[in-house]
Amino acid sequence: MNIALFGGTFDPPHLGHSQIAEVAVEACRLEEIIFLPCHQSPHKAVQPMASGRQRLEMLRLATAEFPWAEVSDWELQRAEPSFSWQTAEHFAALFPQAKLHWLLGEDQWASLDRWARPERLAELLTFIVFPREGRAPQPNPRFRSHFLTGQFPGRATNIRQQIQAGEASAELAPSVAQYIAAQHLYEA
């Protein structure tokens, strides 16, 4: 069984996340992608604007149409900080017969050597890397990897700015946009 973990802040989850996941499912013959919203990314200085519960619900709405998608609150239930190697160990124990992958962007891939316990991540995972902002991922011989190609829409910062300006974002699933409006998220 091929399973990928897709962690992130997802503040908010947008069509780019869905498109990346769809491409990964096809390119890597994945049977399941587990979306894992985190408390706070250790690689970002800004706290999420939406609560963990709200981000979890938005992810459930954003992925509802995908039979291969699962949303997990595992990282949200843990005490901070939650490290990726711990998440990888948890899901490797949960799915001992699976080939486990981690889906991440080029920016995170480029910093992977600086993550906590990168050697443990290398033991447990194959990384599926997507380009970010026109930057193609570069090989790193320390890690097993598969590189996705293409351009993926959406940037959560831009979407939040659009909403704060009172504009609608075409980069959100309609159900997620409705939830954001009902919860008054990201408003000025």
Side-chain angles (χ1 to χ4, degrees), residues 35-125:
F35 291 79
L36 292 151
C38 64
H39 283 285
Q40 159 80 36
S41 171
H43 310 287
K44 294 181 182 178
V46 179
Q47 288 280 351
M49 295 180 77
S51 71
R53 181 191 56 76
Q54 290 168 323
R55 292 181 289 121
L56 196 67
E57 184 58 30
M58 286 188 284
L59 266 174
R60 287 183 175 132
L61 292 168
T63 61
E65 69 182 71
F66 304 119
W68 41 260
E70 179 183 327
V71 178
S72 171
D73 66 352
W74 192 79
E75 285 200 353
L76 291 173
Q77 297 298 324
R78 294 182 45 75
E80 293 182 64
S82 179
F83 294 102
S84 298
W85 67 267
Q86 295 167 320
T87 303
E89 282 187 345
H90 169 77
F91 285 96
L94 197 59
F95 301 105
Q97 303 303 315
K99 181 176 181 188
L100 204 57
H101 302 79
W102 193 284
L103 186 54
L104 77 169
E106 178 278 334
D107 53 337
Q108 297 301 315
W109 170 251
S111 69
L112 194 56
D113 285 310
R114 295 187 301 275
W115 287 21
R117 299 200 53 200
E119 72 288 344
R120 185 66 176 137
L121 293 170
E123 291 171 21
L124 295 170
L125 303 165

Side-chain angles (χ1 to χ4, degrees), residues 2-23:
N2 280 325
I3 298 174
L5 306 175
F6 192 0
T9 311
F10 300 110
D11 191 27
H14 52 72
L15 296 178
H17 294 126
S18 301
Q19 185 180 355
I20 290 162
E22 286 182 287
V23 169

Side-chain angles (χ1 to χ4, degrees), residues 8-9 15 33 100 115 117 130 133 135 144 146 152 157 162 171-172:
T9 311
L15 296 178
I33 294 183
L100 204 57
W115 287 21
R117 299 200 53 200
F130 57 90
E133 299 174 6
R135 294 185 313 268
R144 292 182 305 277
H146 179 90
F152 302 101
T157 302
Q162 287 173 326
E171 297 176 2
L172 293 169

